[in-house]
Each structure stands twice: as C-alpha cells, then as structure tokens.
PDB file of all heavy atoms in Angstrom:
ATOM      1  N   ARG A  27       4.816   3.411 -13.662  1.00 79.00           N
ATOM      2  CA  ARG A  27       5.097   4.452 -12.666  1.00 79.00           C
ATOM      3  C   ARG A  27       4.441   5.770 -13.040  1.00 79.00           C
ATOM      4  O   ARG A  27       3.961   6.505 -12.170  1.00 79.00           O
ATOM      5  CB  ARG A  27       6.605   4.629 -12.494  1.00 79.00           C
ATOM      6  CG  ARG A  27       7.214   3.565 -11.587  1.00 79.00           C
ATOM      7  CD  ARG A  27       8.649   3.880 -11.246  1.00 79.00           C
ATOM      8  NE  ARG A  27       9.541   3.842 -12.398  1.00 79.00           N
ATOM      9  CZ  ARG A  27      10.085   2.732 -12.909  1.00 79.00           C
ATOM     10  NH1 ARG A  27       9.826   1.575 -12.358  1.00 79.00           N
ATOM     11  NH2 ARG A  27      10.886   2.780 -13.945  1.00 79.00           N
ATOM     12  N   GLU A  28       4.386   6.083 -14.323  1.00 85.00           N
ATOM     13  CA  GLU A  28       3.774   7.339 -14.759  1.00 85.00           C
ATOM     14  C   GLU A  28       2.290   7.397 -14.392  1.00 85.00           C
ATOM     15  O   GLU A  28       1.770   8.469 -14.090  1.00 85.00           O
ATOM     16  CB  GLU A  28       3.941   7.523 -16.264  1.00 85.00           C
ATOM     17  CG  GLU A  28       5.351   7.851 -16.688  1.00 85.00           C
ATOM     18  CD  GLU A  28       5.492   7.953 -18.196  1.00 85.00           C
ATOM     19  OE1 GLU A  28       4.474   8.156 -18.891  1.00 85.00           O
ATOM     20  OE2 GLU A  28       6.634   7.832 -18.680  1.00 85.00           O
ATOM     21  N   ILE A  29       1.616   6.255 -14.418  1.00 86.00           N
ATOM     22  CA  ILE A  29       0.180   6.242 -14.113  1.00 86.00           C
ATOM     23  C   ILE A  29      -0.112   5.676 -12.725  1.00 86.00           C
ATOM     24  O   ILE A  29      -1.265   5.446 -12.376  1.00 86.00           O
ATOM     25  CB  ILE A  29      -0.611   5.465 -15.184  1.00 86.00           C
ATOM     26  CG1 ILE A  29      -0.162   4.001 -15.246  1.00 86.00           C
ATOM     27  CG2 ILE A  29      -0.495   6.143 -16.535  1.00 86.00           C
ATOM     28  CD1 ILE A  29      -1.039   3.126 -16.120  1.00 86.00           C
ATOM     29  N   ASN A  30       0.944   5.445 -11.934  1.00 82.00           N
ATOM     30  CA  ASN A  30       0.807   4.934 -10.567  1.00 82.00           C
ATOM     31  C   ASN A  30       0.084   3.595 -10.495  1.00 82.00           C
ATOM     32  O   ASN A  30      -0.718   3.346  -9.595  1.00 82.00           O
ATOM     33  CB  ASN A  30       0.113   5.960  -9.668  1.00 82.00           C
ATOM     34  CG  ASN A  30       0.948   7.191  -9.462  1.00 82.00           C
ATOM     35  OD1 ASN A  30       2.168   7.114  -9.386  1.00 82.00           O
ATOM     36  ND2 ASN A  30       0.301   8.339  -9.386  1.00 82.00           N
ATOM     37  N   ALA A  31       0.387   2.704 -11.421  1.00 85.00           N
ATOM     38  CA  ALA A  31      -0.256   1.390 -11.462  1.00 85.00           C
ATOM     39  C   ALA A  31       0.021   0.583 -10.198  1.00 85.00           C
ATOM     40  O   ALA A  31      -0.867  -0.104  -9.690  1.00 85.00           O
ATOM     41  CB  ALA A  31       0.217   0.620 -12.694  1.00 85.00           C
ATOM     42  N   GLY A  32       1.243   0.652  -9.689  1.00 82.00           N
ATOM     43  CA  GLY A  32       1.569  -0.077  -8.467  1.00 82.00           C
ATOM     44  C   GLY A  32       0.778   0.422  -7.273  1.00 82.00           C
ATOM     45  O   GLY A  32       0.379  -0.358  -6.410  1.00 82.00           O
ATOM     46  N   TYR A  33       0.532   1.715  -7.228  1.00 82.00           N
ATOM     47  CA  TYR A  33      -0.257   2.283  -6.134  1.00 82.00           C
ATOM     48  C   TYR A  33      -1.680   1.721  -6.180  1.00 82.00           C
ATOM     49  O   TYR A  33      -2.241   1.345  -5.159  1.00 82.00           O
ATOM     50  CB  TYR A  33      -0.323   3.805  -6.239  1.00 82.00           C
ATOM     51  CG  TYR A  33       0.959   4.541  -5.943  1.00 82.00           C
ATOM     52  CD1 TYR A  33       2.157   3.878  -5.747  1.00 82.00           C
ATOM     53  CD2 TYR A  33       0.955   5.911  -5.859  1.00 82.00           C
ATOM     54  CE1 TYR A  33       3.319   4.567  -5.471  1.00 82.00           C
ATOM     55  CE2 TYR A  33       2.120   6.625  -5.583  1.00 82.00           C
ATOM     56  CZ  TYR A  33       3.295   5.940  -5.393  1.00 82.00           C
ATOM     57  OH  TYR A  33       4.447   6.617  -5.111  1.00 82.00           O
ATOM     58  N   LEU A  34      -2.263   1.706  -7.365  1.00 86.00           N
ATOM     59  CA  LEU A  34      -3.630   1.204  -7.511  1.00 86.00           C
ATOM     60  C   LEU A  34      -3.703  -0.265  -7.110  1.00 86.00           C
ATOM     61  O   LEU A  34      -4.602  -0.665  -6.363  1.00 86.00           O
ATOM     62  CB  LEU A  34      -4.124   1.381  -8.944  1.00 86.00           C
ATOM     63  CG  LEU A  34      -5.512   0.803  -9.227  1.00 86.00           C
ATOM     64  CD1 LEU A  34      -6.570   1.492  -8.367  1.00 86.00           C
ATOM     65  CD2 LEU A  34      -5.841   0.919 -10.709  1.00 86.00           C
ATOM     66  N   LEU A  35      -2.767  -1.054  -7.555  1.00 86.00           N
ATOM     67  CA  LEU A  35      -2.757  -2.478  -7.218  1.00 86.00           C
ATOM     68  C   LEU A  35      -2.657  -2.667  -5.704  1.00 86.00           C
ATOM     69  O   LEU A  35      -3.401  -3.450  -5.113  1.00 86.00           O
ATOM     70  CB  LEU A  35      -1.603  -3.182  -7.930  1.00 86.00           C
ATOM     71  CG  LEU A  35      -1.446  -4.659  -7.630  1.00 86.00           C
ATOM     72  CD1 LEU A  35      -2.672  -5.431  -8.084  1.00 86.00           C
ATOM     73  CD2 LEU A  35      -0.200  -5.189  -8.328  1.00 86.00           C
ATOM     74  N   HIS A  36      -1.751  -1.933  -5.083  1.00 83.00           N
ATOM     75  CA  HIS A  36      -1.571  -2.058  -3.641  1.00 83.00           C
ATOM     76  C   HIS A  36      -2.815  -1.576  -2.893  1.00 83.00           C
ATOM     77  O   HIS A  36      -3.245  -2.194  -1.915  1.00 83.00           O
ATOM     78  CB  HIS A  36      -0.341  -1.266  -3.197  1.00 83.00           C
ATOM     79  CG  HIS A  36       0.321  -1.850  -2.007  1.00 83.00           C
ATOM     80  ND1 HIS A  36       1.551  -2.418  -2.045  1.00 83.00           N
ATOM     81  CD2 HIS A  36      -0.105  -1.983  -0.735  1.00 83.00           C
ATOM     82  CE1 HIS A  36       1.873  -2.866  -0.854  1.00 83.00           C
ATOM     83  NE2 HIS A  36       0.885  -2.607  -0.037  1.00 83.00           N
ATOM     84  N   TRP A  37      -3.376  -0.491  -3.316  1.00 85.00           N
ATOM     85  CA  TRP A  37      -4.569   0.035  -2.660  1.00 85.00           C
ATOM     86  C   TRP A  37      -5.715  -0.963  -2.758  1.00 85.00           C
ATOM     87  O   TRP A  37      -6.444  -1.194  -1.782  1.00 85.00           O
ATOM     88  CB  TRP A  37      -4.964   1.378  -3.279  1.00 85.00           C
ATOM     89  CG  TRP A  37      -6.053   2.045  -2.517  1.00 85.00           C
ATOM     90  CD1 TRP A  37      -7.365   2.159  -2.874  1.00 85.00           C
ATOM     91  CD2 TRP A  37      -5.940   2.660  -1.236  1.00 85.00           C
ATOM     92  NE1 TRP A  37      -8.065   2.819  -1.906  1.00 85.00           N
ATOM     93  CE2 TRP A  37      -7.217   3.138  -0.884  1.00 85.00           C
ATOM     94  CE3 TRP A  37      -4.892   2.864  -0.355  1.00 85.00           C
ATOM     95  CZ2 TRP A  37      -7.473   3.802   0.307  1.00 85.00           C
ATOM     96  CZ3 TRP A  37      -5.132   3.526   0.834  1.00 85.00           C
ATOM     97  CH2 TRP A  37      -6.406   3.985   1.147  1.00 85.00           C
ATOM     98  N   GLU A  38      -5.882  -1.580  -3.914  1.00 91.00           N
ATOM     99  CA  GLU A  38      -6.941  -2.577  -4.083  1.00 91.00           C
ATOM    100  C   GLU A  38      -6.704  -3.781  -3.169  1.00 91.00           C
ATOM    101  O   GLU A  38      -7.649  -4.343  -2.613  1.00 91.00           O
ATOM    102  CB  GLU A  38      -7.041  -3.019  -5.544  1.00 91.00           C
ATOM    103  CG  GLU A  38      -7.608  -1.964  -6.470  1.00 91.00           C
ATOM    104  CD  GLU A  38      -9.056  -1.607  -6.160  1.00 91.00           C
ATOM    105  OE1 GLU A  38      -9.840  -2.496  -5.750  1.00 91.00           O
ATOM    106  OE2 GLU A  38      -9.419  -0.420  -6.315  1.00 91.00           O
ATOM    107  N   ALA A  39      -5.457  -4.171  -3.001  1.00 89.00           N
ATOM    108  CA  ALA A  39      -5.130  -5.273  -2.091  1.00 89.00           C
ATOM    109  C   ALA A  39      -5.490  -4.901  -0.656  1.00 89.00           C
ATOM    110  O   ALA A  39      -6.013  -5.734   0.103  1.00 89.00           O
ATOM    111  CB  ALA A  39      -3.653  -5.635  -2.195  1.00 89.00           C
ATOM    112  N   MET A  40      -5.238  -3.664  -0.276  1.00 87.00           N
ATOM    113  CA  MET A  40      -5.580  -3.206   1.071  1.00 87.00           C
ATOM    114  C   MET A  40      -7.099  -3.211   1.275  1.00 87.00           C
ATOM    115  O   MET A  40      -7.592  -3.646   2.323  1.00 87.00           O
ATOM    116  CB  MET A  40      -4.997  -1.816   1.320  1.00 87.00           C
ATOM    117  CG  MET A  40      -3.493  -1.837   1.444  1.00 87.00           C
ATOM    118  SD  MET A  40      -2.643  -0.241   1.362  1.00 87.00           S
ATOM    119  CE  MET A  40      -3.628   0.863   2.272  1.00 87.00           C
ATOM    120  N   LEU A  41      -7.842  -2.750   0.284  1.00 92.00           N
ATOM    121  CA  LEU A  41      -9.304  -2.758   0.382  1.00 92.00           C
ATOM    122  C   LEU A  41      -9.837  -4.188   0.458  1.00 92.00           C
ATOM    123  O   LEU A  41     -10.760  -4.479   1.228  1.00 92.00           O
ATOM    124  CB  LEU A  41      -9.918  -2.025  -0.816  1.00 92.00           C
ATOM    125  CG  LEU A  41      -9.668  -0.523  -0.880  1.00 92.00           C
ATOM    126  CD1 LEU A  41     -10.246   0.046  -2.171  1.00 92.00           C
ATOM    127  CD2 LEU A  41     -10.245   0.180   0.334  1.00 92.00           C
ATOM    128  N   TYR A  42      -9.257  -5.069  -0.324  1.00 94.00           N
ATOM    129  CA  TYR A  42      -9.639  -6.482  -0.324  1.00 94.00           C
ATOM    130  C   TYR A  42      -9.443  -7.079   1.066  1.00 94.00           C
ATOM    131  O   TYR A  42     -10.309  -7.783   1.586  1.00 94.00           O
ATOM    132  CB  TYR A  42      -8.801  -7.215  -1.371  1.00 94.00           C
ATOM    133  CG  TYR A  42      -9.098  -8.688  -1.508  1.00 94.00           C
ATOM    134  CD1 TYR A  42     -10.119  -9.129  -2.343  1.00 94.00           C
ATOM    135  CD2 TYR A  42      -8.343  -9.631  -0.835  1.00 94.00           C
ATOM    136  CE1 TYR A  42     -10.384 -10.481  -2.485  1.00 94.00           C
ATOM    137  CE2 TYR A  42      -8.594 -10.984  -0.973  1.00 94.00           C
ATOM    138  CZ  TYR A  42      -9.626 -11.405  -1.802  1.00 94.00           C
ATOM    139  OH  TYR A  42      -9.880 -12.743  -1.927  1.00 94.00           O
ATOM    140  N   ALA A  43      -8.308  -6.790   1.672  1.00 93.00           N
ATOM    141  CA  ALA A  43      -8.018  -7.306   3.013  1.00 93.00           C
ATOM    142  C   ALA A  43      -9.012  -6.743   4.030  1.00 93.00           C
ATOM    143  O   ALA A  43      -9.518  -7.477   4.894  1.00 93.00           O
ATOM    144  CB  ALA A  43      -6.589  -6.959   3.413  1.00 93.00           C
ATOM    145  N   ARG A  44      -9.308  -5.473   3.939  1.00 93.00           N
ATOM    146  CA  ARG A  44     -10.239  -4.863   4.890  1.00 93.00           C
ATOM    147  C   ARG A  44     -11.640  -5.452   4.755  1.00 93.00           C
ATOM    148  O   ARG A  44     -12.310  -5.722   5.752  1.00 93.00           O
ATOM    149  CB  ARG A  44     -10.300  -3.358   4.697  1.00 93.00           C
ATOM    150  CG  ARG A  44     -11.230  -2.725   5.723  1.00 93.00           C
ATOM    151  CD  ARG A  44     -11.114  -1.250   5.855  1.00 93.00           C
ATOM    152  NE  ARG A  44     -11.351  -0.549   4.617  1.00 93.00           N
ATOM    153  CZ  ARG A  44     -11.544   0.760   4.537  1.00 93.00           C
ATOM    154  NH1 ARG A  44     -11.505   1.490   5.615  1.00 93.00           N
ATOM    155  NH2 ARG A  44     -11.742   1.341   3.394  1.00 93.00           N
ATOM    156  N   GLN A  45     -12.068  -5.707   3.520  1.00 96.00           N
ATOM    157  CA  GLN A  45     -13.385  -6.309   3.298  1.00 96.00           C
ATOM    158  C   GLN A  45     -13.488  -7.701   3.906  1.00 96.00           C
ATOM    159  O   GLN A  45     -14.575  -8.165   4.220  1.00 96.00           O
ATOM    160  CB  GLN A  45     -13.683  -6.386   1.801  1.00 96.00           C
ATOM    161  CG  GLN A  45     -13.934  -5.046   1.161  1.00 96.00           C
ATOM    162  CD  GLN A  45     -13.959  -5.127  -0.353  1.00 96.00           C
ATOM    163  OE1 GLN A  45     -13.672  -6.163  -0.945  1.00 96.00           O
ATOM    164  NE2 GLN A  45     -14.300  -4.013  -0.989  1.00 96.00           N
ATOM    165  N   ARG A  46     -12.372  -8.344   4.089  1.00 97.00           N
ATOM    166  CA  ARG A  46     -12.357  -9.686   4.654  1.00 97.00           C
ATOM    167  C   ARG A  46     -12.045  -9.704   6.146  1.00 97.00           C
ATOM    168  O   ARG A  46     -11.747 -10.729   6.717  1.00 97.00           O
ATOM    169  CB  ARG A  46     -11.382 -10.553   3.888  1.00 97.00           C
ATOM    170  CG  ARG A  46     -12.094 -11.096   2.647  1.00 97.00           C
ATOM    171  CD  ARG A  46     -11.194 -11.189   1.456  1.00 97.00           C
ATOM    172  NE  ARG A  46     -11.985 -11.463   0.265  1.00 97.00           N
ATOM    173  CZ  ARG A  46     -12.633 -10.543  -0.451  1.00 97.00           C
ATOM    174  NH1 ARG A  46     -12.586  -9.284  -0.109  1.00 97.00           N
ATOM    175  NH2 ARG A  46     -13.326 -10.863  -1.516  1.00 97.00           N
ATOM    176  N   GLY A  47     -12.096  -8.536   6.765  1.00 96.00           N
ATOM    177  CA  GLY A  47     -12.001  -8.452   8.209  1.00 96.00           C
ATOM    178  C   GLY A  47     -10.609  -8.245   8.782  1.00 96.00           C
ATOM    179  O   GLY A  47     -10.437  -8.272   9.993  1.00 96.00           O
ATOM    180  N   PHE A  48      -9.623  -8.034   7.931  1.00 94.00           N
ATOM    181  CA  PHE A  48      -8.277  -7.772   8.464  1.00 94.00           C
ATOM    182  C   PHE A  48      -8.276  -6.417   9.151  1.00 94.00           C
ATOM    183  O   PHE A  48      -8.801  -5.443   8.636  1.00 94.00           O
ATOM    184  CB  PHE A  48      -7.237  -7.784   7.337  1.00 94.00           C
ATOM    185  CG  PHE A  48      -6.931  -9.149   6.821  1.00 94.00           C
ATOM    186  CD1 PHE A  48      -7.799  -9.806   5.964  1.00 94.00           C
ATOM    187  CD2 PHE A  48      -5.751  -9.786   7.173  1.00 94.00           C
ATOM    188  CE1 PHE A  48      -7.519 -11.072   5.487  1.00 94.00           C
ATOM    189  CE2 PHE A  48      -5.463 -11.048   6.702  1.00 94.00           C
ATOM    190  CZ  PHE A  48      -6.350 -11.699   5.857  1.00 94.00           C
ATOM    191  N   ARG A  49      -7.653  -6.359  10.317  1.00 89.00           N
ATOM    192  CA  ARG A  49      -7.607  -5.119  11.075  1.00 89.00           C
ATOM    193  C   ARG A  49      -6.302  -4.367  10.889  1.00 89.00           C
ATOM    194  O   ARG A  49      -6.217  -3.175  11.174  1.00 89.00           O
ATOM    195  CB  ARG A  49      -7.845  -5.415  12.549  1.00 89.00           C
ATOM    196  CG  ARG A  49      -9.265  -5.944  12.786  1.00 89.00           C
ATOM    197  CD  ARG A  49      -9.528  -6.316  14.218  1.00 89.00           C
ATOM    198  NE  ARG A  49      -9.131  -5.259  15.131  1.00 89.00           N
ATOM    199  CZ  ARG A  49      -8.815  -5.480  16.397  1.00 89.00           C
ATOM    200  NH1 ARG A  49      -8.847  -6.680  16.898  1.00 89.00           N
ATOM    201  NH2 ARG A  49      -8.463  -4.477  17.183  1.00 89.00           N
ATOM    202  N   TRP A  50      -5.254  -5.053  10.477  1.00 85.00           N
ATOM    203  CA  TRP A  50      -3.950  -4.428  10.272  1.00 85.00           C
ATOM    204  C   TRP A  50      -3.416  -4.818   8.910  1.00 85.00           C
ATOM    205  O   TRP A  50      -3.664  -5.904   8.406  1.00 85.00           O
ATOM    206  CB  TRP A  50      -2.939  -4.886  11.331  1.00 85.00           C
ATOM    207  CG  TRP A  50      -3.303  -4.470  12.698  1.00 85.00           C
ATOM    208  CD1 TRP A  50      -3.094  -3.241  13.269  1.00 85.00           C
ATOM    209  CD2 TRP A  50      -3.953  -5.259  13.683  1.00 85.00           C
ATOM    210  NE1 TRP A  50      -3.581  -3.231  14.552  1.00 85.00           N
ATOM    211  CE2 TRP A  50      -4.103  -4.459  14.837  1.00 85.00           C
ATOM    212  CE3 TRP A  50      -4.421  -6.562  13.708  1.00 85.00           C
ATOM    213  CZ2 TRP A  50      -4.713  -4.929  15.978  1.00 85.00           C
ATOM    214  CZ3 TRP A  50      -5.028  -7.028  14.855  1.00 85.00           C
ATOM    215  CH2 TRP A  50      -5.160  -6.211  15.959  1.00 85.00           C
ATOM    216  N   TYR A  51      -2.652  -3.915   8.337  1.00 83.00           N
ATOM    217  CA  TYR A  51      -2.003  -4.173   7.055  1.00 83.00           C
ATOM    218  C   TYR A  51      -0.591  -3.594   7.156  1.00 83.00           C
ATOM    219  O   TYR A  51      -0.423  -2.380   7.273  1.00 83.00           O
ATOM    220  CB  TYR A  51      -2.784  -3.505   5.922  1.00 83.00           C
ATOM    221  CG  TYR A  51      -2.342  -3.934   4.550  1.00 83.00           C
ATOM    222  CD1 TYR A  51      -2.870  -5.067   3.953  1.00 83.00           C
ATOM    223  CD2 TYR A  51      -1.403  -3.199   3.845  1.00 83.00           C
ATOM    224  CE1 TYR A  51      -2.480  -5.463   2.697  1.00 83.00           C
ATOM    225  CE2 TYR A  51      -0.999  -3.588   2.587  1.00 83.00           C
ATOM    226  CZ  TYR A  51      -1.537  -4.710   2.016  1.00 83.00           C
ATOM    227  OH  TYR A  51      -1.136  -5.105   0.771  1.00 83.00           O
ATOM    228  N   ASP A  52       0.388  -4.454   7.125  1.00 83.00           N
ATOM    229  CA  ASP A  52       1.777  -4.035   7.329  1.00 83.00           C
ATOM    230  C   ASP A  52       2.401  -3.661   5.988  1.00 83.00           C
ATOM    231  O   ASP A  52       2.604  -4.514   5.131  1.00 83.00           O
ATOM    232  CB  ASP A  52       2.559  -5.170   7.983  1.00 83.00           C
ATOM    233  CG  ASP A  52       3.966  -4.768   8.367  1.00 83.00           C
ATOM    234  OD1 ASP A  52       4.394  -3.649   8.001  1.00 83.00           O
ATOM    235  OD2 ASP A  52       4.629  -5.569   9.027  1.00 83.00           O
ATOM    236  N   LEU A  53       2.722  -2.384   5.820  1.00 81.00           N
ATOM    237  CA  LEU A  53       3.366  -1.920   4.593  1.00 81.00           C
ATOM    238  C   LEU A  53       4.884  -2.019   4.667  1.00 81.00           C
ATOM    239  O   LEU A  53       5.581  -1.591   3.756  1.00 81.00           O
ATOM    240  CB  LEU A  53       2.973  -0.469   4.302  1.00 81.00           C
ATOM    241  CG  LEU A  53       1.538  -0.272   3.830  1.00 81.00           C
ATOM    242  CD1 LEU A  53       1.186   1.206   3.809  1.00 81.00           C
ATOM    243  CD2 LEU A  53       1.345  -0.880   2.463  1.00 81.00           C
ATOM    244  N   ALA A  54       5.386  -2.571   5.741  1.00 80.00           N
ATOM    245  CA  ALA A  54       6.823  -2.752   5.959  1.00 80.00           C
ATOM    246  C   ALA A  54       7.510  -1.393   6.066  1.00 80.00           C
ATOM    247  O   ALA A  54       6.868  -0.360   6.184  1.00 80.00           O
ATOM    248  CB  ALA A  54       7.441  -3.618   4.891  1.00 80.00           C
ATOM    249  N   GLY A  55       8.814  -1.421   6.025  1.00 78.00           N
ATOM    250  CA  GLY A  55       9.589  -0.209   6.246  1.00 78.00           C
ATOM    251  C   GLY A  55       9.606   0.731   5.059  1.00 78.00           C
ATOM    252  O   GLY A  55       9.074   0.445   3.995  1.00 78.00           O
ATOM    253  N   PHE A  56      10.239   1.875   5.275  1.00 78.00           N
ATOM    254  CA  PHE A  56      10.382   2.843   4.191  1.00 78.00           C
ATOM    255  C   PHE A  56      11.678   3.611   4.361  1.00 78.00           C
ATOM    256  O   PHE A  56      12.225   3.698   5.449  1.00 78.00           O
ATOM    257  CB  PHE A  56       9.191   3.804   4.134  1.00 78.00           C
ATOM    258  CG  PHE A  56       9.001   4.621   5.380  1.00 78.00           C
ATOM    259  CD1 PHE A  56       9.693   5.807   5.551  1.00 78.00           C
ATOM    260  CD2 PHE A  56       8.117   4.215   6.352  1.00 78.00           C
ATOM    261  CE1 PHE A  56       9.514   6.566   6.694  1.00 78.00           C
ATOM    262  CE2 PHE A  56       7.932   4.970   7.503  1.00 78.00           C
ATOM    263  CZ  PHE A  56       8.637   6.143   7.669  1.00 78.00           C
ATOM    264  N   ASP A  57      12.144   4.123   3.271  1.00 80.00           N
ATOM    265  CA  ASP A  57      13.351   4.942   3.259  1.00 80.00           C
ATOM    266  C   ASP A  57      13.026   6.203   2.473  1.00 80.00           C
ATOM    267  O   ASP A  57      12.884   6.169   1.252  1.00 80.00           O
ATOM    268  CB  ASP A  57      14.503   4.175   2.615  1.00 80.00           C
ATOM    269  CG  ASP A  57      15.820   4.914   2.699  1.00 80.00           C
ATOM    270  OD1 ASP A  57      15.819   6.169   2.689  1.00 80.00           O
ATOM    271  OD2 ASP A  57      16.860   4.237   2.745  1.00 80.00           O
ATOM    272  N   ARG A  58      12.879   7.309   3.194  1.00 84.00           N
ATOM    273  CA  ARG A  58      12.487   8.570   2.556  1.00 84.00           C
ATOM    274  C   ARG A  58      13.465   9.021   1.482  1.00 84.00           C
ATOM    275  O   ARG A  58      13.069   9.625   0.500  1.00 84.00           O
ATOM    276  CB  ARG A  58      12.397   9.669   3.601  1.00 84.00           C
ATOM    277  CG  ARG A  58      11.339   9.467   4.602  1.00 84.00           C
ATOM    278  CD  ARG A  58      11.368  10.572   5.633  1.00 84.00           C
ATOM    279  NE  ARG A  58      10.615  10.147   6.796  1.00 84.00           N
ATOM    280  CZ  ARG A  58      10.001  10.961   7.611  1.00 84.00           C
ATOM    281  NH1 ARG A  58      10.070  12.249   7.426  1.00 84.00           N
ATOM    282  NH2 ARG A  58       9.331  10.497   8.633  1.00 84.00           N
ATOM    283  N   VAL A  59      14.745   8.724   1.677  1.00 88.00           N
ATOM    284  CA  VAL A  59      15.770   9.195   0.743  1.00 88.00           C
ATOM    285  C   VAL A  59      15.905   8.262  -0.458  1.00 88.00           C
ATOM    286  O   VAL A  59      15.839   8.687  -1.606  1.00 88.00           O
ATOM    287  CB  VAL A  59      17.125   9.347   1.466  1.00 88.00           C
ATOM    288  CG1 VAL A  59      18.213   9.746   0.498  1.00 88.00           C
ATOM    289  CG2 VAL A  59      16.999  10.364   2.593  1.00 88.00           C
ATOM    290  N   ALA A  60      16.084   6.971  -0.203  1.00 86.00           N
ATOM    291  CA  ALA A  60      16.329   6.016  -1.285  1.00 86.00           C
ATOM    292  C   ALA A  60      15.078   5.733  -2.107  1.00 86.00           C
ATOM    293  O   ALA A  60      15.174   5.496  -3.314  1.00 86.00           O
ATOM    294  CB  ALA A  60      16.892   4.710  -0.720  1.00 86.00           C
ATOM    295  N   TYR A  61      13.898   5.736  -1.472  1.00 83.00           N
ATOM    296  CA  TYR A  61      12.649   5.402  -2.170  1.00 83.00           C
ATOM    297  C   TYR A  61      11.565   6.429  -1.850  1.00 83.00           C
ATOM    298  O   TYR A  61      10.592   6.122  -1.163  1.00 83.00           O
ATOM    299  CB  TYR A  61      12.181   3.998  -1.776  1.00 83.00           C
ATOM    300  CG  TYR A  61      13.222   2.947  -2.026  1.00 83.00           C
ATOM    301  CD1 TYR A  61      13.966   2.407  -0.985  1.00 83.00           C
ATOM    302  CD2 TYR A  61      13.483   2.519  -3.319  1.00 83.00           C
ATOM    303  CE1 TYR A  61      14.935   1.458  -1.220  1.00 83.00           C
ATOM    304  CE2 TYR A  61      14.454   1.571  -3.563  1.00 83.00           C
ATOM    305  CZ  TYR A  61      15.171   1.038  -2.516  1.00 83.00           C
ATOM    306  OH  TYR A  61      16.139   0.104  -2.760  1.00 83.00           O
ATOM    307  N   PRO A  62      11.719   7.642  -2.342  1.00 86.00           N
ATOM    308  CA  PRO A  62      10.749   8.683  -1.987  1.00 86.00           C
ATOM    309  C   PRO A  62       9.334   8.380  -2.451  1.00 86.00           C
ATOM    310  O   PRO A  62       8.371   8.746  -1.787  1.00 86.00           O
ATOM    311  CB  PRO A  62      11.310   9.939  -2.654  1.00 86.00           C
ATOM    312  CG  PRO A  62      12.243   9.447  -3.708  1.00 86.00           C
ATOM    313  CD  PRO A  62      12.762   8.135  -3.236  1.00 86.00           C
ATOM    314  N   GLY A  63       9.182   7.690  -3.575  1.00 79.00           N
ATOM    315  CA  GLY A  63       7.842   7.349  -4.052  1.00 79.00           C
ATOM    316  C   GLY A  63       7.140   6.382  -3.118  1.00 79.00           C
ATOM    317  O   GLY A  63       5.948   6.518  -2.833  1.00 79.00           O
ATOM    318  N   GLY A  64       7.880   5.396  -2.642  1.00 78.00           N
ATOM    319  CA  GLY A  64       7.308   4.442  -1.691  1.00 78.00           C
ATOM    320  C   GLY A  64       6.936   5.108  -0.390  1.00 78.00           C
ATOM    321  O   GLY A  64       5.879   4.843   0.202  1.00 78.00           O
ATOM    322  N   TYR A  65       7.808   5.996   0.068  1.00 84.00           N
ATOM    323  CA  TYR A  65       7.510   6.738   1.291  1.00 84.00           C
ATOM    324  C   TYR A  65       6.255   7.591   1.102  1.00 84.00           C
ATOM    325  O   TYR A  65       5.371   7.634   1.958  1.00 84.00           O
ATOM    326  CB  TYR A  65       8.678   7.630   1.704  1.00 84.00           C
ATOM    327  CG  TYR A  65       8.287   8.616   2.766  1.00 84.00           C
ATOM    328  CD1 TYR A  65       8.079   8.191   4.076  1.00 84.00           C
ATOM    329  CD2 TYR A  65       8.071   9.949   2.456  1.00 84.00           C
ATOM    330  CE1 TYR A  65       7.679   9.079   5.057  1.00 84.00           C
ATOM    331  CE2 TYR A  65       7.670  10.840   3.428  1.00 84.00           C
ATOM    332  CZ  TYR A  65       7.475  10.408   4.725  1.00 84.00           C
ATOM    333  OH  TYR A  65       7.071  11.289   5.682  1.00 84.00           O
TER     334      TYR A  65
END
C-alpha cells in the first residue's frame, strides 16, 4: 500500500485489456467512506 503496488497491477491489467480491443473495463462499485483509497 505504501508504494501503491495494487494500483500499478490494476493499471497494467487495464492497459492489457485495452491493447486487446476491450472497450469497457468495469471497476465495480466504490464506497467513498469505507474505502477512500479505492475510491
């Protein structure tokens, strides 16, 4: 979490999907209060 490793992994997955022609990427829901980092 200190180095945002999960962010990098997720971002790379999104780029991978886009390179393969995906037009949408569903990040699912969010909760601004309970999970501010995810939001």
